[in-house]
Short mmCIF file of all heavy atoms in Angstrom, two decimals:
data_model
loop_
_atom_site.label_atom_id
_atom_site.label_comp_id
_atom_site.label_asym_id
_atom_site.label_seq_id
_atom_site.Cartn_x
_atom_site.Cartn_y
_atom_site.Cartn_z
N ARG A 1 0.87 -1.17 -0.10
CA ARG A 1 0.05 0.00 -0.08
C ARG A 1 0.90 1.21 0.01
O ARG A 1 0.54 2.31 -0.60
CB ARG A 1 -0.88 -0.08 1.27
CG ARG A 1 -2.06 -1.02 1.15
CD ARG A 1 -2.78 -0.95 2.42
NE ARG A 1 -3.31 0.39 2.69
CZ ARG A 1 -3.89 0.85 3.89
NH1 ARG A 1 -3.84 -0.05 4.82
NH2 ARG A 1 -4.28 2.04 3.95
N VAL A 2 2.01 1.30 0.71
CA VAL A 2 2.89 2.36 0.71
C VAL A 2 3.72 2.47 -0.48
O VAL A 2 3.81 3.51 -1.11
CB VAL A 2 3.81 2.28 2.05
CG1 VAL A 2 4.74 3.37 1.94
CG2 VAL A 2 2.89 2.22 3.22
N SER A 3 4.42 1.30 -0.81
CA SER A 3 5.29 1.31 -1.97
C SER A 3 4.72 1.23 -3.34
O SER A 3 5.29 1.73 -4.34
CB SER A 3 6.40 0.28 -1.76
OG SER A 3 5.70 -0.95 -1.95
N ARG A 4 3.57 0.55 -3.39
CA ARG A 4 2.93 0.28 -4.76
C ARG A 4 3.69 -0.47 -5.61
O ARG A 4 3.61 -0.41 -6.86
CB ARG A 4 2.37 1.60 -5.37
CG ARG A 4 1.64 2.37 -4.45
CD ARG A 4 0.91 3.53 -5.21
NE ARG A 4 1.76 4.35 -6.04
CZ ARG A 4 2.54 5.27 -5.52
NH1 ARG A 4 2.53 5.66 -4.19
NH2 ARG A 4 3.35 6.06 -6.36
N ILE A 5 4.58 -1.38 -5.16
CA ILE A 5 5.49 -2.27 -5.96
C ILE A 5 4.83 -3.62 -6.16
O ILE A 5 4.61 -4.35 -5.15
CB ILE A 5 6.86 -2.36 -5.09
CG1 ILE A 5 7.63 -1.01 -5.17
CG2 ILE A 5 7.76 -3.34 -6.01
CD1 ILE A 5 8.85 -1.03 -4.48
N VAL A 6 4.50 -4.05 -7.40
CA VAL A 6 3.92 -5.22 -7.63
C VAL A 6 4.49 -6.57 -7.01
O VAL A 6 3.80 -7.40 -6.58
CB VAL A 6 3.66 -5.45 -9.08
CG1 VAL A 6 3.11 -6.76 -9.46
CG2 VAL A 6 2.88 -4.26 -9.69
N PRO A 7 5.82 -6.76 -7.00
CA PRO A 7 6.32 -7.84 -6.33
C PRO A 7 5.94 -8.10 -4.93
O PRO A 7 5.78 -9.29 -4.37
CB PRO A 7 7.97 -7.71 -6.50
CG PRO A 7 8.03 -6.76 -7.66
CD PRO A 7 6.93 -5.91 -7.70
N LEU A 8 5.80 -7.03 -4.19
CA LEU A 8 5.34 -7.04 -2.74
C LEU A 8 3.93 -7.71 -2.79
O LEU A 8 3.56 -8.45 -1.82
CB LEU A 8 5.37 -5.81 -2.06
CG LEU A 8 6.74 -5.28 -1.50
CD1 LEU A 8 6.70 -3.90 -0.89
CD2 LEU A 8 7.29 -6.36 -0.56
N LEU A 9 2.99 -7.30 -3.74
CA LEU A 9 1.67 -7.82 -3.63
C LEU A 9 1.70 -9.25 -3.98
O LEU A 9 0.99 -10.02 -3.46
CB LEU A 9 0.89 -6.99 -4.82
CG LEU A 9 -0.58 -7.54 -5.08
CD1 LEU A 9 -1.37 -7.21 -3.73
CD2 LEU A 9 -1.18 -6.81 -6.17
N LEU A 10 2.53 -9.69 -4.94
CA LEU A 10 2.67 -11.21 -5.31
C LEU A 10 3.17 -11.87 -4.01
O LEU A 10 2.55 -12.97 -3.81
CB LEU A 10 3.57 -11.37 -6.47
CG LEU A 10 2.96 -10.86 -7.84
CD1 LEU A 10 4.20 -11.00 -8.80
CD2 LEU A 10 1.90 -11.57 -8.20
N LEU A 11 4.09 -11.40 -3.29
CA LEU A 11 4.65 -12.12 -2.18
C LEU A 11 3.60 -12.18 -1.08
O LEU A 11 3.47 -13.17 -0.36
CB LEU A 11 5.91 -11.37 -1.73
CG LEU A 11 6.66 -12.13 -0.67
CD1 LEU A 11 7.18 -13.51 -1.12
CD2 LEU A 11 8.01 -11.35 -0.27
N ALA A 12 2.86 -11.12 -0.79
CA ALA A 12 1.89 -11.03 0.15
C ALA A 12 0.70 -12.09 -0.18
O ALA A 12 0.23 -12.72 0.79
CB ALA A 12 1.22 -9.62 0.24
N CYS A 13 0.34 -12.16 -1.40
CA CYS A 13 -0.67 -13.14 -1.87
C CYS A 13 -0.31 -14.49 -1.54
O CYS A 13 -0.92 -15.47 -1.20
CB CYS A 13 -1.07 -12.99 -3.27
SG CYS A 13 -2.03 -11.44 -3.59
N THR A 14 1.18 -14.75 -1.85
CA THR A 14 1.78 -16.06 -1.65
C THR A 14 1.66 -16.57 -0.23
O THR A 14 1.13 -17.68 0.10
CB THR A 14 3.19 -16.08 -2.09
OG1 THR A 14 3.22 -15.86 -3.48
CG2 THR A 14 3.80 -17.47 -1.81
N PHE A 15 1.89 -15.56 0.68
CA PHE A 15 1.84 -15.96 2.22
C PHE A 15 0.45 -16.10 2.62
O PHE A 15 0.18 -16.92 3.51
CB PHE A 15 2.69 -14.88 2.98
CG PHE A 15 4.14 -15.28 3.07
CD1 PHE A 15 5.06 -14.67 2.19
CD2 PHE A 15 4.59 -16.09 3.98
CE1 PHE A 15 6.35 -14.92 2.23
CE2 PHE A 15 6.03 -16.39 4.11
CZ PHE A 15 6.84 -15.77 3.25
N LEU A 16 -0.46 -15.27 2.08
CA LEU A 16 -1.83 -15.40 2.53
C LEU A 16 -2.39 -16.66 2.06
O LEU A 16 -3.19 -17.45 2.83
CB LEU A 16 -2.59 -14.23 1.84
CG LEU A 16 -4.16 -14.19 2.18
CD1 LEU A 16 -4.36 -14.20 3.71
CD2 LEU A 16 -4.87 -13.11 1.47
N LEU A 17 -2.13 -17.03 0.74
CA LEU A 17 -2.70 -18.39 0.30
C LEU A 17 -2.04 -19.60 1.00
O LEU A 17 -2.78 -20.57 1.30
CB LEU A 17 -2.36 -18.46 -1.21
CG LEU A 17 -2.90 -19.71 -1.83
CD1 LEU A 17 -4.41 -19.90 -1.75
CD2 LEU A 17 -2.53 -19.65 -3.41
N THR A 18 -0.80 -19.49 1.34
CA THR A 18 -0.09 -20.52 2.15
C THR A 18 -0.74 -20.66 3.50
O THR A 18 -1.02 -21.72 3.96
CB THR A 18 1.38 -20.17 2.27
OG1 THR A 18 1.96 -20.17 0.99
CG2 THR A 18 2.12 -21.31 3.10
N GLY A 19 -1.01 -19.43 4.10
CA GLY A 19 -1.68 -19.53 5.45
C GLY A 19 -3.08 -20.24 5.47
O GLY A 19 -3.45 -21.00 6.26
N LEU A 20 -3.93 -19.89 4.36
CA LEU A 20 -5.20 -20.30 4.32
C LEU A 20 -5.14 -21.78 3.94
O LEU A 20 -5.82 -22.52 4.67
CB LEU A 20 -5.99 -19.64 3.18
CG LEU A 20 -6.28 -18.13 3.45
CD1 LEU A 20 -6.89 -17.51 2.15
CD2 LEU A 20 -7.19 -17.99 4.67
N LEU A 21 -4.14 -22.30 3.13
CA LEU A 21 -4.24 -23.74 2.79
C LEU A 21 -3.69 -24.54 4.01
O LEU A 21 -4.09 -25.72 4.23
CB LEU A 21 -3.35 -23.95 1.62
CG LEU A 21 -3.97 -23.47 0.21
CD1 LEU A 21 -2.81 -23.64 -0.89
CD2 LEU A 21 -5.14 -24.14 -0.03
N SER A 22 -2.66 -24.05 4.68
CA SER A 22 -2.23 -24.74 5.77
C SER A 22 -3.18 -24.77 6.95
O SER A 22 -3.32 -25.75 7.81
CB SER A 22 -0.93 -24.07 6.45
OG SER A 22 -1.19 -22.68 6.69
N LEU A 23 -4.18 -23.79 7.07
CA LEU A 23 -5.36 -23.82 7.95
C LEU A 23 -6.21 -24.87 7.56
O LEU A 23 -6.71 -25.69 8.39
CB LEU A 23 -5.90 -22.45 7.93
CG LEU A 23 -7.22 -22.38 8.77
CD1 LEU A 23 -6.95 -22.63 10.31
CD2 LEU A 23 -7.96 -21.09 8.71
N CYS A 24 -6.47 -25.02 6.26
CA CYS A 24 -7.41 -26.06 5.76
C CYS A 24 -6.87 -27.42 6.10
O CYS A 24 -7.34 -28.40 6.42
CB CYS A 24 -7.69 -25.88 4.39
SG CYS A 24 -8.67 -24.37 3.90
N TYR A 25 -5.46 -27.65 5.84
CA TYR A 25 -4.81 -28.76 6.21
C TYR A 25 -4.90 -29.23 7.59
O TYR A 25 -5.13 -30.39 7.97
CB TYR A 25 -3.26 -28.63 5.77
CG TYR A 25 -2.44 -29.83 6.05
CD1 TYR A 25 -2.61 -31.08 5.37
CD2 TYR A 25 -1.42 -29.74 7.03
CE1 TYR A 25 -1.82 -32.17 5.64
CE2 TYR A 25 -0.60 -30.79 7.28
CZ TYR A 25 -0.73 -32.02 6.61
OH TYR A 25 0.10 -33.10 6.93
N LEU A 26 -4.70 -28.28 8.52
CA LEU A 26 -4.84 -28.53 9.89
C LEU A 26 -6.20 -28.96 10.30
O LEU A 26 -6.40 -29.87 11.06
CB LEU A 26 -4.45 -27.17 10.70
CG LEU A 26 -4.65 -27.19 12.16
CD1 LEU A 26 -3.77 -28.32 12.98
CD2 LEU A 26 -4.35 -25.89 12.87
N LEU A 27 -7.27 -28.29 9.76
CA LEU A 27 -8.64 -28.72 10.00
C LEU A 27 -8.89 -30.08 9.47
O LEU A 27 -9.65 -30.84 10.24
CB LEU A 27 -9.55 -27.66 9.39
CG LEU A 27 -9.56 -26.25 9.92
CD1 LEU A 27 -10.48 -25.31 9.16
CD2 LEU A 27 -9.76 -26.10 11.41
N ALA A 28 -8.32 -30.42 8.37
CA ALA A 28 -8.61 -31.82 7.75
C ALA A 28 -7.84 -32.82 8.69
O ALA A 28 -8.39 -33.87 8.85
CB ALA A 28 -8.22 -31.83 6.27
N LEU A 29 -6.72 -32.57 8.92
CA LEU A 29 -5.83 -33.41 9.68
C LEU A 29 -6.37 -33.82 11.05
O LEU A 29 -6.19 -34.87 11.70
CB LEU A 29 -4.31 -33.11 9.71
CG LEU A 29 -3.39 -34.28 9.94
CD1 LEU A 29 -3.51 -35.20 8.77
CD2 LEU A 29 -2.05 -33.66 9.90
N THR A 30 -7.00 -32.76 11.74
CA THR A 30 -7.53 -32.84 13.09
C THR A 30 -9.03 -33.24 13.07
O THR A 30 -9.62 -33.09 14.15
CB THR A 30 -7.23 -31.56 13.79
OG1 THR A 30 -7.79 -30.51 13.15
CG2 THR A 30 -5.83 -31.37 14.12
N ASP A 31 -9.60 -33.59 11.94
CA ASP A 31 -10.96 -33.93 11.69
C ASP A 31 -11.87 -32.84 12.25
O ASP A 31 -12.89 -33.16 12.85
CB ASP A 31 -11.19 -35.27 12.66
CG ASP A 31 -10.53 -36.44 12.11
OD1 ASP A 31 -10.22 -36.52 11.00
OD2 ASP A 31 -10.02 -37.28 12.98
N MET A 32 -11.58 -31.59 11.89
CA MET A 32 -12.42 -30.36 12.30
C MET A 32 -13.19 -30.00 11.07
O MET A 32 -14.00 -29.06 11.20
CB MET A 32 -11.62 -29.32 12.77
CG MET A 32 -10.93 -29.71 14.15
SD MET A 32 -9.93 -28.27 14.79
CE MET A 32 -11.35 -27.13 15.26
N LEU A 33 -13.09 -30.58 9.80
CA LEU A 33 -13.94 -30.37 8.75
C LEU A 33 -15.25 -31.13 8.93
O LEU A 33 -15.27 -32.10 9.69
CB LEU A 33 -13.30 -30.67 7.46
CG LEU A 33 -12.07 -29.71 7.00
CD1 LEU A 33 -11.46 -30.31 5.57
CD2 LEU A 33 -12.72 -28.33 6.73
#
């Protein structure tokens, strides 16, 4: 938001998607789905 540099946006999306998928993995592995 401050720098408006596209690579930062791609990196932020990568970590957000990784966090969401690892959350789904945790829910599936602990039978919380």
Side-chain angles (χ1 to χ4, degrees):
R1 289 178 56 195
V2 176
S3 65
R4 308 193 306 280
I5 297 176
V6 174
L8 279 179
L9 179 62
L10 293 175
L11 192 60
C13 291
T14 298
F15 275 94
L16 178 60
L17 182 58
T18 299
L20 293 175
L21 290 177
S22 58
L23 173 62
C24 295
Y25 175 68
L26 172 63
L27 296 177
L29 204 61
T30 55
D31 297 327
M32 296 185 67
L33 289 176

